[in-house]
Amino acid sequence: MGNVESHGSWRCQFSPDERTILDNVFDAIFAPNTSDFSKWGKAVQKQITLPLLKFTEDLITTVIHLLQSENMLRDWILEKTADALSGTLRLATILISQLKPKDSQDQTTDNVLNAEYGHSELKDWIYRVSHISAFLHIFVVLSLRIINSECNGELFGTKHLLPQCLGIKYSGVFTIFDIPSVLYLNTYLPSERQDQWQMLFSSQFHGESFTRFCSLILHKGPSLLVIKDSDGYVFGGFASHSWDARPQFQGDSKCFLFTLSPQLGIYTCTGYNDHYMYLNNGQQTMPNGLGMGGQFYYFGLWIDSDYGGGHSKAKPRCTTYNSPQLSAQEHFIIDTMELWRVGNPPEDLVSSPKSVLDSEPEAQALLHMIGKMRMSDGLRDPNEEGEK
């Protein structure tokens, strides 16, 4: 499941009216029949988890549909993302795993069904786990049309919950992210990196070329690399610094690795070493490719420079991130690979042309005349005056 819990840097705050409503809803859903039980008994405690899992799935699904109906998905197009149904189950499962039973020990998926939960434990889970409280807040505000005056009519924390999506709305590109995974992953990014994601590379659009990949990602700011392997596993890493091609490790302890399918997991730095991120190409004496964690020739995540394959070695765990093997096979074949810049671009990119052709209008006109398009145009929104 990973080595961190649901992030708490943007905990949702409820108004007194909202809290009262949620308390009443909670009591109506989860309180047992008082004629049968004067207190929460073992029978109820052990039967509560499966309904709670279904409740959590329904809550996530409802929130996504509410955001879509209110045009608040921030340019994430459901039809251009991966299956939300599977992502919803994975997100609900990991949120349920954060229930704290009466012995105050965190639960895993395997033993959560055998733990005992009372009324107070369930209520603690609702208000403590930031995703659950945020989802409930959105549900209350949009479904019941209650606006918290302290928020000036805006949903508290929504922009940190779901980032603005740049790069797929006006293109033919589909992403391997699903909306529940975006909701999960975004909260683990530094707060200044949560407001927008921009696709910089997609193997579906730009082709399967490591050289092309490097040309589009160098010096572009912190980013998320996400890979789908030929077995359907989805995984990747967060790079806290711009990628730079050089034969040394770079980055800092904000970097992490993650899995999105078949289960969600976040794997943060252990402090054992500083092998956070590595990118090199064209060297005869050093590994050529992109890596995160571990050591040379034994990375937690590695993409070969000849493109098409990589490895995830962890026996038993990656020394840098404490991550297990991320892919289905230790040596994997890439089905799809994407890289997304997170947060605003570096200042030097804002003031510079977005492309060499941006400063050559004659060249742009010539391409248009012969019916060609630039490879970067498909990932730009037409209303962008410059990189935000």
Side-chain angles (χ1 to χ4, degrees):
M1 283 297 185
N3 53 7
V4 290
E5 280 195 0
S6 180
H7 211 283
S9 62
W10 49 270
R11 189 167 307 283
C12 185
Q13 303 295 324
F14 297 100
S15 70
D17 288 343
E18 292 167 354
R19 182 102 185 192
T20 298
I21 291 173
L22 288 176
D23 283 342
N24 291 337
V25 170
F26 176 89
D27 291 338
I29 294 174
F30 298 116
N33 189 328
T34 53
S35 64
D36 297 329
F37 295 89
S38 59
K39 294 182 179 180
W40 286 71
K42 278 191 175 182
V44 175
Q45 292 164 353
K46 290 198 173 185
Q47 292 173 9
I48 195 67
T49 308
L50 288 176
L52 191 58
L53 179 60
K54 181 64 166 59
F55 164 79
T56 307
E57 289 184 67
D58 290 344
L59 176 63
I60 296 168
T61 300
T62 300
V63 165
I64 291 174
H65 286 311
L66 283 171
L67 293 176
Q68 182 183 33
S69 66
E70 297 290 333
N71 295 317
M72 295 177 66
L73 280 179
R74 310 197 73 196
D75 289 336
W76 289 95
I77 311 300
L78 287 176
E79 294 77 12
K80 292 188 174 184
T81 60
D83 178 29
L85 185 62
S86 299
T88 296
L89 176 58
R90 290 190 291 268
L91 180 55
T93 299
I94 199 167
L95 294 178
I96 288 293
S97 73
Q98 295 176 45
L99 273 167
K100 291 184 180 293
K102 290 186 174 181
D103 58 8
S104 298
Q105 297 296 315
D106 291 332
Q107 296 297 293
T108 65
T109 305
D110 293 334
N111 63 17
V112 68
L113 294 176
N114 296 319
E116 294 183 4
Y117 310 100
H119 188 278
S120 60
E121 286 79 24
L122 291 169
K123 186 169 286 190
D124 166 76
W125 172 75
I126 282 180
Y127 291 118
R128 172 177 50 82
V129 178
S130 53
H131 282 93
I132 296 297
S133 58
F135 293 158
L136 284 170
H137 185 265
I138 292 171
F139 172 77
V140 169
V141 169
L142 293 184
S143 294
L144 305 179
R145 300 296 175 182
I146 296 176
I147 301 297
N148 185 351
S149 59
E150 297 176 1
C151 300
N152 299 319
E154 296 181 359
L155 288 176
F156 180 89
T158 300
K159 75 173 187 176
H160 297 296
L161 187 67
L162 189 65
Q164 185 74 30
C165 175
L166 302 176
I168 68 172
K169 183 176 182 180
Y170 298 100
S171 73
V173 178
F174 292 76
T175 177
I176 54 180
F177 279 118
D178 57 71
I179 298 296
S181 294
V182 174
L183 292 169
Y184 172 73
L185 193 56
N186 197 50
T187 58
Y188 291 97
L189 299 177
S191 58
E192 69 274 13
R193 299 293 165 191
Q194 294 177 347
D195 186 48
Q196 70 174 29
W197 295 9
Q198 180 171 4
M199 180 184 280
L200 299 182
F201 175 85
S202 168
S203 60
Q204 300 177 60
F205 184 80
H206 296 102
E208 300 178 349
S209 166
F210 191 79
T211 300
R212 179 66 175 158
F213 171 71
C214 290
S215 72
L216 293 171
I217 72 166
L218 292 179
H219 314 298
K220 297 296 177 65
S223 59
L224 285 167
L225 173 71
V226 60
I227 298 160
K228 180 179 180 181
D229 69 18
S230 59
D231 292 295
Y233 280 46
V234 181
F235 51 91
F238 166 62
S240 60
H241 287 54
S242 290
W243 286 103
D244 185 15
R246 57 185 180 183
Q248 295 93 28
F249 286 98
Q250 49 197 295
D252 61 23
S253 59
K254 293 179 181 177
C255 296
F256 59 80
L257 295 179
F258 61 84
T259 57
L260 300 182
S261 180
Q263 64 180 20
L264 298 175
I266 301 288
Y267 306 96
T268 55
C269 296
T270 63
Y272 182 83
N273 58 39
D274 59 358
H275 299 174
Y276 306 118
M277 44 190 286
Y278 172 91
L279 178 63
N280 194 39
N281 198 20
Q283 297 258 340
Q284 293 185 350
T285 58
M286 301 293 288
N288 290 312
L290 180 150
M292 296 188 71
Q295 55 189 320
F296 289 154
Y297 308 105
Y298 203 91
F299 286 88
L301 174 58
W302 174 255
I303 304 299
D304 294 327
S305 63
D306 57 4
Y307 200 86
H311 70 243
S312 177
K313 297 185 178 181
K315 294 181 178 178
R317 291 268 173 168
C318 170
T319 55
T320 309
Y321 296 108
N322 195 38
S323 55
Q325 180 178 297
L326 307 176
S327 49
Q329 309 294 329
E330 184 174 89
H331 292 269
F332 60 82
I333 297 173
I334 298 172
D335 176 84
T336 309
M337 185 167 77
E338 300 172 2
L339 188 132
W340 295 70
R341 175 172 56 223
V342 292
N344 294 322
E347 292 183 3
D348 56 341
L349 284 181
V350 176
S351 58
S352 64
K354 293 176 283 185
S355 162
V356 173
L357 291 177
D358 287 325
S359 58
E360 298 289 344
E362 295 85 359
Q364 293 182 46
L366 179 60
L367 283 177
H368 181 72
M369 290 172 61
I370 63 177
K372 301 292 185 181
M373 67 176 289
R374 292 176 290 174
M375 291 301 289
S376 60
D377 280 343
L379 303 183
R380 297 183 183 182
D381 293 330
N383 60 348
E384 285 185 83
E385 296 296 329
E387 297 211 49
K388 299 180 181 179

Coordinates of all heavy atoms in Angstrom, one line a residue, residues 234-281:
V234 N 0.6 0.0 -13.7 CA 0.9 1.4 -13.9 C 1.6 1.9 -12.7 O 1.2 1.7 -11.5 CB -0.5 2.2 -14.1 CG1 -0.2 3.7 -14.3 CG2 -1.3 1.6 -15.2
F235 N 2.7 2.6 -12.9 CA 3.6 3.1 -11.9 C 4.5 4.2 -12.4 O 4.4 4.6 -13.6 CB 4.5 1.9 -11.4 CG 5.2 1.2 -12.6 CD1 6.5 1.6 -13.0 CD2 4.6 0.2 -13.3 CE1 7.1 1.0 -14.1 CE2 5.2 -0.5 -14.3 CZ 6.5 -0.1 -14.8
G236 N 5.3 4.8 -11.5 CA 6.1 6.0 -11.9 C 6.8 6.6 -10.7 O 7.0 6.0 -9.7
G237 N 7.2 7.9 -10.9 CA 7.9 8.6 -9.9 C 7.7 10.1 -10.0 O 7.4 10.6 -11.1
F238 N 7.8 10.8 -8.9 CA 7.8 12.3 -8.9 C 9.3 12.8 -8.8 O 10.0 12.4 -7.9 CB 7.0 12.8 -7.7 CG 7.2 14.2 -7.4 CD1 6.9 15.2 -8.3 CD2 7.8 14.7 -6.2 CE1 7.1 16.6 -8.1 CE2 8.0 16.0 -5.9 CZ 7.6 17.0 -6.9
A239 N 9.7 13.6 -9.8 CA 11.0 14.2 -9.8 C 10.8 15.7 -9.3 O 10.1 16.5 -9.9 CB 11.6 14.2 -11.2
S240 N 11.4 16.0 -8.1 CA 11.3 17.3 -7.5 C 12.0 18.4 -8.2 O 11.8 19.6 -7.9 CB 11.7 17.2 -6.0 OG 13.1 16.8 -5.9
H241 N 13.0 18.1 -9.1 CA 13.8 19.0 -9.8 C 13.6 18.8 -11.3 O 13.1 17.7 -11.7 CB 15.3 18.9 -9.5 CG 15.6 19.4 -8.1 ND1 15.0 19.0 -6.9 CD2 16.6 20.3 -7.7 CE1 15.5 19.6 -5.9 NE2 16.5 20.4 -6.3
S242 N 14.0 19.8 -12.1 CA 14.0 19.6 -13.5 C 15.0 18.4 -13.9 O 16.0 18.3 -13.2 CB 14.5 20.9 -14.2 OG 13.6 21.9 -14.1
W243 N 14.6 17.7 -14.9 CA 15.5 16.7 -15.4 C 16.7 17.3 -16.1 O 16.5 18.2 -16.9 CB 14.8 15.7 -16.3 CG 13.9 14.8 -15.6 CD1 12.5 14.8 -15.5 CD2 14.3 13.6 -14.9 NE1 12.0 13.8 -14.7 CE2 13.1 13.0 -14.3 CE3 15.5 13.0 -14.6 CZ2 13.1 11.9 -13.6 CZ3 15.5 11.8 -13.8 CH2 14.3 11.3 -13.3
D244 N 17.9 16.9 -15.9 CA 19.1 17.4 -16.5 C 20.0 16.2 -16.9 O 20.2 15.3 -16.0 CB 19.8 18.3 -15.6 CG 21.0 19.0 -16.2 OD1 21.1 18.9 -17.5 OD2 21.9 19.5 -15.5
A245 N 20.4 16.1 -18.1 CA 21.2 15.0 -18.6 C 22.7 15.1 -18.1 O 23.4 16.0 -18.5 CB 21.2 14.9 -20.1
R246 N 23.0 14.3 -17.1 CA 24.4 14.3 -16.6 C 24.6 12.9 -15.9 O 23.7 12.3 -15.4 CB 24.6 15.4 -15.7 CG 23.7 15.5 -14.5 CD 23.9 16.8 -13.7 NE 23.0 16.8 -12.6 CZ 22.9 17.9 -11.7 NH1 23.7 18.9 -11.9 NH2 22.1 17.8 -10.7
P247 N 25.9 12.5 -15.8 CA 26.2 11.2 -15.2 C 26.3 11.2 -13.7 O 27.1 10.5 -13.1 CB 27.5 10.8 -15.8 CG 28.2 12.2 -16.0 CD 27.1 13.1 -16.4
Q248 N 25.4 12.0 -13.0 CA 25.3 12.0 -11.5 C 23.9 12.0 -11.1 O 23.0 12.4 -11.8 CB 26.0 13.2 -10.9 CG 27.5 13.4 -11.2 CD 27.8 14.1 -12.4 OE1 27.1 15.0 -12.8 NE2 29.0 13.8 -13.0
F249 N 23.7 11.5 -9.9 CA 22.3 11.6 -9.3 C 22.0 13.0 -9.0 O 22.9 13.8 -8.7 CB 22.2 10.7 -8.1 CG 22.2 9.2 -8.3 CD1 23.3 8.5 -8.3 CD2 21.0 8.6 -8.7 CE1 23.3 7.1 -8.5 CE2 20.9 7.3 -9.0 CZ 22.1 6.5 -8.9
Q250 N 20.7 13.3 -9.0 CA 20.2 14.7 -8.7 C 18.9 14.6 -7.9 O 18.5 13.5 -7.6 CB 20.0 15.4 -10.1 CG 19.2 14.6 -11.1 CD 19.4 15.2 -12.5 OE1 19.0 16.3 -12.8 NE2 20.0 14.4 -13.4
G251 N 18.3 15.7 -7.7 CA 17.0 15.7 -6.9 C 17.2 15.9 -5.4 O 18.3 16.1 -5.0
D252 N 16.1 15.7 -4.7 CA 16.2 15.8 -3.2 C 15.2 14.8 -2.6 O 14.5 14.1 -3.3 CB 16.0 17.2 -2.8 CG 14.7 17.8 -3.1 OD1 13.7 17.1 -3.4 OD2 14.6 19.1 -3.2
S253 N 15.0 14.9 -1.3 CA 14.2 14.0 -0.6 C 12.7 14.2 -0.8 O 11.9 13.4 -0.3 CB 14.5 14.1 0.9 OG 14.2 15.4 1.4
K254 N 12.3 15.2 -1.6 CA 10.9 15.3 -1.9 C 10.4 14.3 -3.0 O 9.2 14.1 -3.3 CB 10.6 16.8 -2.4 CG 10.7 17.8 -1.3 CD 10.4 19.2 -1.8 CE 10.6 20.3 -0.7 NZ 10.3 21.6 -1.3
C255 N 11.4 13.8 -3.7 CA 11.1 12.8 -4.8 C 10.4 11.5 -4.1 O 10.7 11.2 -3.0 CB 12.4 12.3 -5.5 SG 13.2 13.6 -6.4
F256 N 9.6 10.8 -4.9 CA 9.0 9.6 -4.5 C 8.7 8.7 -5.7 O 8.6 9.2 -6.8 CB 7.8 9.8 -3.5 CG 6.7 10.5 -4.1 CD1 5.8 9.9 -5.0 CD2 6.5 11.9 -3.9 CE1 4.7 10.6 -5.5 CE2 5.4 12.6 -4.4 CZ 4.5 12.0 -5.2
L257 N 8.5 7.4 -5.4 CA 8.0 6.5 -6.4 C 6.5 6.2 -6.0 O 6.1 6.3 -4.9 CB 8.8 5.2 -6.4 CG 10.3 5.4 -6.9 CD1 11.0 4.0 -6.9 CD2 10.3 6.0 -8.3
F258 N 5.8 5.7 -7.0 CA 4.4 5.3 -6.7 C 3.9 4.2 -7.6 O 4.5 3.9 -8.7 CB 3.5 6.6 -6.9 CG 3.5 7.1 -8.3 CD1 2.7 6.6 -9.3 CD2 4.3 8.2 -8.6 CE1 2.7 7.2 -10.6 CE2 4.3 8.8 -9.9 CZ 3.5 8.3 -10.9
T259 N 2.8 3.6 -7.2 CA 2.1 2.6 -8.0 C 0.7 3.1 -8.1 O 0.1 3.6 -7.1 CB 2.2 1.2 -7.5 OG1 1.7 1.2 -6.1 CG2 3.6 0.7 -7.5
L260 N 0.0 2.9 -9.3 CA -1.4 3.2 -9.5 C -2.2 2.0 -9.8 O -3.4 2.0 -9.5 CB -1.5 4.2 -10.6 CG -0.8 5.6 -10.4 CD1 -1.1 6.5 -11.6 CD2 -1.2 6.2 -9.1
S261 N -1.6 1.0 -10.3 CA -2.4 -0.3 -10.6 C -1.4 -1.4 -10.7 O -0.3 -1.3 -11.2 CB -3.1 -0.1 -12.0 OG -3.8 -1.3 -12.3
P262 N -1.7 -2.5 -10.0 CA -3.1 -3.0 -9.5 C -3.5 -2.4 -8.2 O -4.6 -2.6 -7.8 CB -2.9 -4.5 -9.4 CG -1.5 -4.7 -9.1 CD -0.7 -3.6 -9.9
Q263 N -2.6 -1.6 -7.5 CA -3.0 -1.0 -6.3 C -2.3 0.3 -6.2 O -1.3 0.6 -6.8 CB -2.7 -1.9 -5.1 CG -1.2 -2.1 -4.8 CD -1.0 -3.0 -3.6 OE1 -1.8 -3.7 -3.2 NE2 0.3 -3.0 -3.1
L264 N -2.8 1.2 -5.3 CA -2.2 2.5 -5.1 C -1.1 2.4 -4.0 O -1.3 1.7 -3.0 CB -3.3 3.5 -4.7 CG -4.4 3.8 -5.7 CD1 -5.4 4.8 -5.0 CD2 -3.8 4.5 -6.9
G265 N 0.0 3.1 -4.2 CA 1.0 3.1 -3.2 C 1.9 4.3 -3.4 O 2.2 4.7 -4.6
I266 N 2.4 4.9 -2.3 CA 3.4 6.0 -2.4 C 4.6 5.6 -1.6 O 4.5 5.1 -0.5 CB 2.8 7.3 -1.8 CG1 1.6 7.8 -2.6 CG2 3.9 8.4 -1.8 CD1 1.8 8.3 -3.9
Y267 N 5.8 5.8 -2.2 CA 7.0 5.3 -1.5 C 8.0 6.4 -1.4 O 8.6 6.9 -2.5 CB 7.6 4.1 -2.3 CG 6.6 3.0 -2.5 CD1 5.8 2.9 -3.7 CD2 6.3 2.1 -1.5 CE1 4.9 1.9 -3.8 CE2 5.3 1.1 -1.6 CZ 4.6 1.0 -2.8 OH 3.6 0.1 -2.9
T268 N 8.2 6.9 -0.2 CA 9.0 8.1 0.0 C 10.5 7.7 0.4 O 10.8 6.6 0.6 CB 8.4 9.0 1.1 OG1 8.2 8.2 2.3 CG2 7.0 9.5 0.6
C269 N 11.3 8.8 0.5 CA 12.7 8.5 0.7 C 13.0 8.0 2.1 O 12.4 8.4 3.1 CB 13.5 9.8 0.5 SG 13.4 10.5 -1.1
T270 N 14.0 7.1 2.2 CA 14.4 6.5 3.4 C 15.5 7.2 4.1 O 15.7 7.0 5.3 CB 14.8 5.0 3.1 OG1 16.0 5.1 2.3 CG2 13.8 4.2 2.4
G271 N 16.3 8.0 3.4 CA 17.5 8.6 3.9 C 18.7 7.8 3.8 O 19.8 8.2 4.2
Y272 N 18.6 6.6 3.3 CA 19.7 5.6 3.2 C 20.7 6.2 2.2 O 22.0 6.0 2.4 CB 19.2 4.3 2.7 CG 20.3 3.2 2.6 CD1 20.7 2.5 3.7 CD2 20.9 2.9 1.4 CE1 21.7 1.6 3.6 CE2 21.9 2.0 1.3 CZ 22.3 1.3 2.4 OH 23.3 0.3 2.3
N273 N 20.3 6.8 1.1 CA 21.2 7.4 0.1 C 20.5 8.5 -0.6 O 19.3 8.8 -0.3 CB 21.8 6.4 -0.9 CG 20.7 5.7 -1.6 OD1 19.7 6.3 -2.0 ND2 20.9 4.3 -1.9
D274 N 21.2 9.2 -1.5 CA 20.6 10.4 -2.2 C 20.5 10.1 -3.7 O 20.6 10.9 -4.5 CB 21.4 11.6 -2.0 CG 22.9 11.5 -2.4 OD1 23.3 10.4 -2.9 OD2 23.6 12.5 -2.3
H275 N 20.2 8.8 -4.0 CA 20.0 8.4 -5.4 C 18.6 8.7 -5.9 O 17.9 7.7 -6.3 CB 20.4 6.9 -5.6 CG 21.8 6.7 -5.2 ND1 22.4 5.4 -5.1 CD2 22.8 7.5 -4.8 CE1 23.6 5.5 -4.7 NE2 23.9 6.7 -4.5
Y276 N 18.2 9.9 -5.9 CA 16.8 10.2 -6.1 C 16.4 10.1 -7.6 O 15.4 9.5 -7.9 CB 16.5 11.7 -5.6 CG 16.9 11.9 -4.2 CD1 17.8 12.8 -3.8 CD2 16.3 11.1 -3.1 CE1 18.2 13.0 -2.5 CE2 16.6 11.3 -1.8 CZ 17.6 12.3 -1.5 OH 18.0 12.5 -0.2
M277 N 17.2 10.8 -8.5 CA 16.9 10.8 -9.9 C 18.1 10.9 -10.7 O 19.1 11.5 -10.3 CB 15.9 11.9 -10.2 CG 16.2 13.2 -9.6 SD 15.0 14.5 -9.7 CE 15.1 15.0 -11.4
Y278 N 18.1 10.2 -11.9 CA 19.3 10.1 -12.7 C 18.8 10.1 -14.2 O 17.9 9.4 -14.6 CB 20.0 8.8 -12.4 CG 21.2 8.5 -13.3 CD1 22.5 8.9 -13.0 CD2 21.0 7.7 -14.4 CE1 23.6 8.6 -13.8 CE2 22.1 7.3 -15.2 CZ 23.3 7.8 -14.9 OH 24.4 7.5 -15.8
L279 N 19.5 10.9 -15.0 CA 19.3 10.9 -16.5 C 20.6 11.1 -17.2 O 21.3 12.0 -17.0 CB 18.3 12.0 -16.8 CG 17.9 12.1 -18.3 CD1 17.3 10.9 -18.9 CD2 17.1 13.4 -18.6
N280 N 20.9 10.1 -18.1 CA 22.1 10.2 -18.9 C 21.9 9.6 -20.2 O 21.1 8.7 -20.4 CB 23.2 9.5 -18.1 CG 24.6 9.8 -18.7 OD1 24.9 10.9 -19.0 ND2 25.5 8.8 -18.7
N281 N 22.6 10.1 -21.2 CA 22.5 9.5 -22.6 C 23.8 9.8 -23.3 O 24.4 10.8 -23.2 CB 21.3 10.2 -23.3 CG 20.9 9.4 -24.5 OD1 21.2 8.2 -24.6 ND2 20.2 10.1 -25.4

